[in-house]
Amino acid sequence: YERYGRNSPFPYATNGSGHIVFLVLFLVAWLIHIAQAIRFKSLFTWVILVVGTIEWIGYMFCLFAIGQESPSSYLVVCQTLLVATPALLVAHNYIIVERIMDFIGTDYGPMAHTNITNVFLGADMIAMALQIAGTAMLTEALGKPHQVEVGQKILVTGLLLQVITFGIYTILVMAYNFRSSRDPTLRAYKTQLRSLRMLWVAFYINVVLITIRTIYRTVGKQFQANES
């Protein structure tokens, strides 16, 4: 993509070795999750399996785009797939936390856990659709300044919506976790609840990583829009 320079909708030089590293990492992680899903019959992990598939296929198309005379078609697939995966990871978190809430009890949240999941999952899907639409416009916008501007605004809107909705959801989940962990009636189930601790840790680690990634992309795209 480097030959497009600063006039490109994606004005950066690609890193082939970086794509190879992430392709291998996501492929290995994907295979591990498949093995775990089969071993433990965890059908609810289908989202993370889809995410892994999209990730390594996306990086594979990024590699195909390197050195091509007209890399636009490969770039569309690469960028669209890689943009969609964080929103799907968020959706996976929603599913996992809903199962935790269903196990612990529904009396510690502001509303039914199924309603929380449906509302925020819907907002997440809207954010993902906006990001994909904005990315698709940008990948076909070379030499079209107005389309670049519109695509960037749509993409940034989708990223902001994802940050806001996931942030609100995280606050609600933290409140639920805080209230349930201090309920004396649950002390009799201390052993069962202790087994959920790693899931909570994994959730919060995901929150940090996804939030950092989304904010980074939002700031980067907004900075790029201001320069263009």
Side-chain angles (χ1 to χ4, degrees):
Y1 323 132
E2 187 175 7
R3 64 189 182 91
Y4 292 153
R6 293 177 62 84
N7 296 323
S8 170
F10 295 97
Y12 59 85
T14 188
N15 187 328
S17 58
H19 290 325
I20 294 174
V21 169
F22 282 106
L23 170 60
V24 172
L25 289 176
F26 278 111
L27 185 57
V28 171
W30 177 70
L31 293 173
I32 292 174
H33 279 86
I34 287 180
Q36 290 179 332
I38 295 174
R39 178 183 177 186
F40 299 106
K41 299 180 180 179
S42 306
L43 298 179
F44 64 90
T45 60
W46 67 268
V47 177
I48 200 69
L49 299 180
V50 172
V51 170
T53 305
I54 293 175
E55 285 281 5
W56 67 260
I57 290 178
Y59 281 108
M60 185 172 63
F61 272 94
C62 288
L63 289 173
F64 291 160
I66 298 175
Q68 297 291 323
E69 291 296 327
S70 300
S72 179
S73 58
Y74 292 111
L75 184 59
V76 170
V77 177
C78 164
Q79 293 293 325
T80 302
L81 292 180
L82 296 184
V83 161
T85 48
L88 291 174
L89 283 173
V90 172
H92 181 68
N93 281 314
Y94 293 158
I95 294 173
I96 296 298
V97 172
E98 180 184 357
R99 292 175 66 89
I100 294 175
M101 290 180 174
D102 186 57
F103 177 79
I104 295 177
T106 60
D107 300 328
Y108 307 102
M111 65 179 76
H113 62 288
T114 53
N115 292 336
I116 294 177
T117 301
N118 291 336
V119 169
F120 287 97
L121 187 59
D124 188 52
M125 292 300 101
I126 294 174
M128 182 177 67
L130 289 172
Q131 292 176 53
I132 292 175
T135 301
M137 290 185 67
L138 286 174
T139 53
E140 297 291 345
L142 184 63
K144 304 174 184 177
H146 178 69
Q147 185 171 330
V148 171
E149 181 181 357
V150 174
Q152 287 173 340
K153 288 181 178 179
I154 293 175
L155 177 55
V156 170
T157 300
L159 290 167
L160 285 174
L161 178 60
Q162 184 177 330
V163 170
I164 293 171
T165 55
F166 194 43
I168 296 173
Y169 178 81
T170 302
I171 292 172
L172 294 177
V173 171
M174 291 176 66
Y176 176 92
N177 190 13
F178 179 82
R179 292 180 60 188
S180 63
S181 63
R182 281 157 178 76
D183 186 352
T185 62
L186 293 178
R187 291 176 182 173
Y189 306 97
K190 183 182 297 184
T191 302
Q192 294 90 327
L193 294 178
R194 189 180 297 116
S195 64
L196 298 177
R197 188 172 301 168
M198 290 306 299
L199 286 177
W200 284 121
V201 171
F203 169 75
Y204 290 122
I205 291 175
N206 273 323
V207 167
V208 173
L209 294 177
I210 293 173
T211 302
I212 291 174
R213 180 265 180 197
T214 307
I215 291 176
Y216 175 81
R217 282 187 60 86
T218 303
V219 173
K221 287 301 178 184
Q222 188 60 49
F223 181 75
Q224 179 181 332
N226 292 336
E227 280 195 334
S228 59

